Amino acid sequence: SAGLELLPLYEKVVLEASSSPNSSIENLFGQIMDLFLRCFAYDDIDVASAVLSFAARLTDYMNEKVTSSVEGSMQRRLPLLLATLVEQMKYPIDFQYDFEDDDDAEEEMFRTELSKVYSKMVRNAPSACLGFLYDLSSRQLSGQNAASLPTPDIEATLRLFRHFGENIRPSPGIKTVMANETFCGLLRAFHESNIAQHPHREVVCSYYEMAVRYHLLFLKKEYEELLAPLLSAMSGTTGIQHVHPRVRSRCCYLFLRLVKPMVPLLRP
């Protein structure tokens, strides 16, 4: 609450240069940022949830097209905020993904609110967020064994990828992001990995969700060869014939959604 009250004053001081860099307001803001970052990174969601409104407010100052010193200051903090956010996005290692359970539902609600903060970050600083995703996925996929990645790590990364295209401007974001070759290259890395063989059902479902969301990739000549392996995975034992009923049922739905816009490629 103190941080939310202080932000307008901090903006006024910096923009109008009404005081020296060591002013009391700037010193106080630095103290609040330190406390905020420690709370944001805390391993109890009750603590981290309490500062999400402040995190969301900070993202209003992260506009890449504005060059004031306030925006510059917030832009420098963005990598740390993103790194903390992705850590908090990860479900606990013993999370059961049972959203009818009260404890699991509380964990899910917290990550829904985190996703809203992330969405604002993408809208205000798309280049910085894409650079962060590039570094994150490059580290995870560099070993060519995505199927062995820890479930919380890769599941959180896939969720960040899925939400990225929703928030790119101009709308529709999916079409806009498909014009970005860096992002398309990251999607290729996922499709060429063995992530569909991951042992956890939620990772498999999340990967297929991402693939269908960005299906326009396959309509590009240089990426169309990625479609056949994906359809094979979705219709085989890593999809419609999976041992878990959630994967089977979800894949039936996603398979239909994918095939419909791919008719021009599939008809031959």
Side-chain angles (χ1 to χ4, degrees):
S1 297
L4 290 170
E5 292 293 332
L6 186 64
L7 267 174
L9 294 175
Y10 174 72
E11 180 184 28
K12 183 178 180 181
V13 165
V14 175
L15 285 179
E16 296 181 1
S18 57
S19 61
S20 67
N22 295 318
S23 69
S24 58
I25 289 181
E26 288 198 288
N27 287 336
L28 182 57
F29 184 75
Q31 294 175 41
I32 285 179
M33 281 299 298
D34 177 65
L35 180 59
F36 157 70
L37 289 170
R38 284 188 283 143
C39 290
F40 193 35
Y42 202 74
D43 62 0
D44 187 312
I45 63 173
D46 289 336
V47 176
S49 296
V51 296
L52 287 184
S53 57
F54 183 68
R57 186 69 178 87
L58 284 178
T59 64
D60 293 334
Y61 295 94
M62 293 177 179
N63 194 326
E64 293 174 336
K65 297 180 180 179
V66 181
T67 58
S68 75
S69 53
V70 171
E71 277 78 11
S73 175
M74 295 305 174
Q75 283 290 330
R76 289 191 294 274
R77 290 183 167 98
L78 183 58
L80 179 57
L81 289 174
L82 283 167
T84 304
L85 182 138
V86 74
E87 286 300 314
Q88 293 289 42
M89 273 284 195
K90 298 175 184 178
Y91 287 107
I93 195 68
D94 59 348
F95 189 70
Q96 297 300 309
Y97 295 89
D98 178 7
F99 301 118
E100 294 182 0
D101 177 81
D102 288 343
D103 290 338
D104 281 9
E106 187 179 359
E107 292 279 357
E108 174 66 7
M109 188 177 300
F110 169 62
R111 282 157 187 86
T112 299
E113 293 304 311
L114 277 176
S115 296
K116 293 177 182 178
V117 175
Y118 173 68
S119 296
K120 291 188 69 175
M121 289 179 176
V122 173
R123 286 195 293 270
N124 290 316
S127 299
C129 289
L130 181 58
F132 178 81
L133 286 181
Y134 180 88
D135 293 339
L136 180 64
S137 59
S138 296
R139 290 196 304 271
Q140 291 181 337
L141 301 177
S142 60
Q144 297 298 314
N145 196 21
S148 65
L149 289 169
T151 297
D153 294 11
I154 188 61
E155 195 275 338
T157 300
L158 286 168
R159 249 178 311 129
L160 293 180
F161 266 91
R162 291 209 318 273
H163 292 308
F164 185 81
E166 299 171 352
N167 299 286
I168 293 295
R169 297 293 181 267
S171 297
I174 301 297
K175 287 187 177 181
T176 299
V177 80
M178 284 294 95
N180 188 304
E181 284 305 313
T182 299
F183 188 79
C184 291
L186 294 178
L187 293 177
R188 176 190 284 277
F190 275 104
H191 290 310
E192 291 180 340
S193 74
N194 63 348
I195 194 170
Q197 298 171 25
H198 197 281
H200 200 285
R201 66 186 186 277
E202 292 301 325
V203 173
V204 177
C205 288
S206 191
Y207 164 60
Y208 291 146
E209 292 270 5
M210 183 184 74
V212 173
R213 177 161 297 180
Y214 300 114
H215 68 272
L216 294 177
L217 180 79
F218 308 117
L219 297 177
K220 292 188 169 191
K221 190 70 175 176
E222 63 270 35
Y223 297 105
E224 64 179 34
E225 78 277 3
L226 299 172
L227 179 60
L230 175 63
L231 290 172
S232 179
M234 293 182 73
S235 59
T237 56
T238 56
I240 294 173
Q241 301 177 61
H242 198 277
V243 294
H244 199 282
R246 163 151 166 77
V247 180
R248 294 198 300 268
S249 62
R250 195 66 188 153
C251 273
C252 287
Y253 167 72
L254 292 171
F255 192 84
L256 289 172
R257 277 192 56 198
L258 178 61
V259 167
K260 186 175 180 181
M262 295 293 110
V263 167
L265 292 178
L266 296 177
R267 184 173 288 123

